[in-house]
Amino acid sequence: MSFASSAEPRHHPDCCMAISQPLLHTLSNLLPNGPAISVLSIGSGTGLLESLLSEMLDDSYDVCGVEVSPNVNKYLPEENMFFVGGTWDLCTQAGRSKVWMFTYPRDPKLIVRYLDIYDHAGLSKLIWLGPKMDWQDYEGVFASSRFSNLTILEDCGMASYEMVVVAELSGSP
Ligand SMILES: C[S@@+](CC[C@H](N)C(=O)[O-])C[C@H]1O[C@@H](n2cnc3c(N)ncnc32)[C@H](O)[C@@H]1O
């Protein structure tokens, strides 16, 4: 991989989110422990962030991506990619994944649809990454779901205008 993550958040043309080593550590620490943890990044783009995250994890984690066009992915192995028929379409793999990630999603309605159709007992955490100014469009989606326990992370390796939000089950500590 041609991208070496740095201590400070740095932009790469292949990822909307600025990437840093601390951000990757933050994300890896957010993932649940377990024998088989499947992470699905919905709208994974080139897969750069997902691929770097995957490199930090042991074999018990399986980081996959979903995209609309097969031409977009550059970094995730083919077998870790799923494709949908259009921006309105959903990926059935979501119904088997323990964690969903949304990095710079374009439309809150996509998350609403995933929660309506593919929320399942094994789903334990949703991770949203994006610009702080976009969060207001998404907060209500999570707040009105069973993943309404929201933790906002700032200054853990993100750019100053970006943040990570962890949405967990409303009963979780
Ligand atoms: C703003 S880009 C972000 C890409 C990547 N996460 C990043 O941070 O660089 C949003 C991505 O979501 C993808 N997308 C839009 N609708 C989707 C859908 N229904 N399922 C999967 N991906 C979708 C687009 O193709 C696009 O690559």
Side-chain angles (χ1 to χ4, degrees):
M1 173 156 327
S2 58
F3 183 85
S5 52
S6 49
E8 294 301 318
R10 208 153 49 94
H11 269 291
H12 185 284
D14 284 343
C15 187
C16 293
M17 190 84 185
I19 299 177
S20 70
Q21 201 65 26
L23 173 68
L24 296 171
H25 275 291
T26 299
L27 293 176
S28 63
N29 288 332
L30 287 174
L31 297 178
N33 297 315
I37 303 293
S38 148
V39 179
L40 188 65
S41 175
I42 297 165
S44 50
T46 66
L48 176 62
L49 179 66
E50 293 74 5
S51 169
L52 291 167
L53 175 62
S54 183
E55 283 177 6
M56 305 195 73
L57 302 170
D58 64 41
D59 289 349
S60 56
Y61 294 88
D62 192 28
V63 181
C64 294
V66 189
E67 256 304 331
V68 176
S69 160
N71 303 327
V72 182
N73 176 56
K74 288 195 201 173
Y75 298 95
L76 281 172
E78 222 170 278
E79 61 273 19
N80 286 39
M81 280 304 301
F82 297 89
F83 299 102
V84 291
T87 54
W88 42 266
D89 200 8
L90 307 178
C91 174
T92 56
Q93 179 65 13
R96 294 183 283 274
S97 301
K98 207 158 177 86
V99 177
W100 297 346
M101 278 175 64
F102 297 91
T103 305
Y104 271 73
R106 285 200 180 130
D107 190 346
K109 287 201 278 295
L110 184 66
I111 304 178
V112 173
R113 278 163 50 74
Y114 266 106
L115 284 165
D116 279 350
I117 297 172
Y118 286 114
D119 186 6
H120 62 103
L123 182 64
S124 72
K125 202 173 264 192
L126 277 59
I127 304 175
W128 181 96
L129 301 92
K132 288 176 182 172
M133 63 180 293
D134 282 6
W135 175 241
Q136 62 190 15
D137 300 335
Y138 290 85
E139 183 170 9
V141 171
F142 294 101
S144 59
S145 77
R146 67 186 187 107
F147 295 92
S148 59
N149 180 4
L150 302 176
T151 306
I152 293 180
L153 303 174
E154 297 172 83
D155 305 322
C156 324
M158 310 92 188
S160 57
Y161 57 89
E162 292 178 328
M163 66 184 196
V164 171
V165 181
V166 189
E168 294 174 280
L169 294 171
S170 37
S172 53

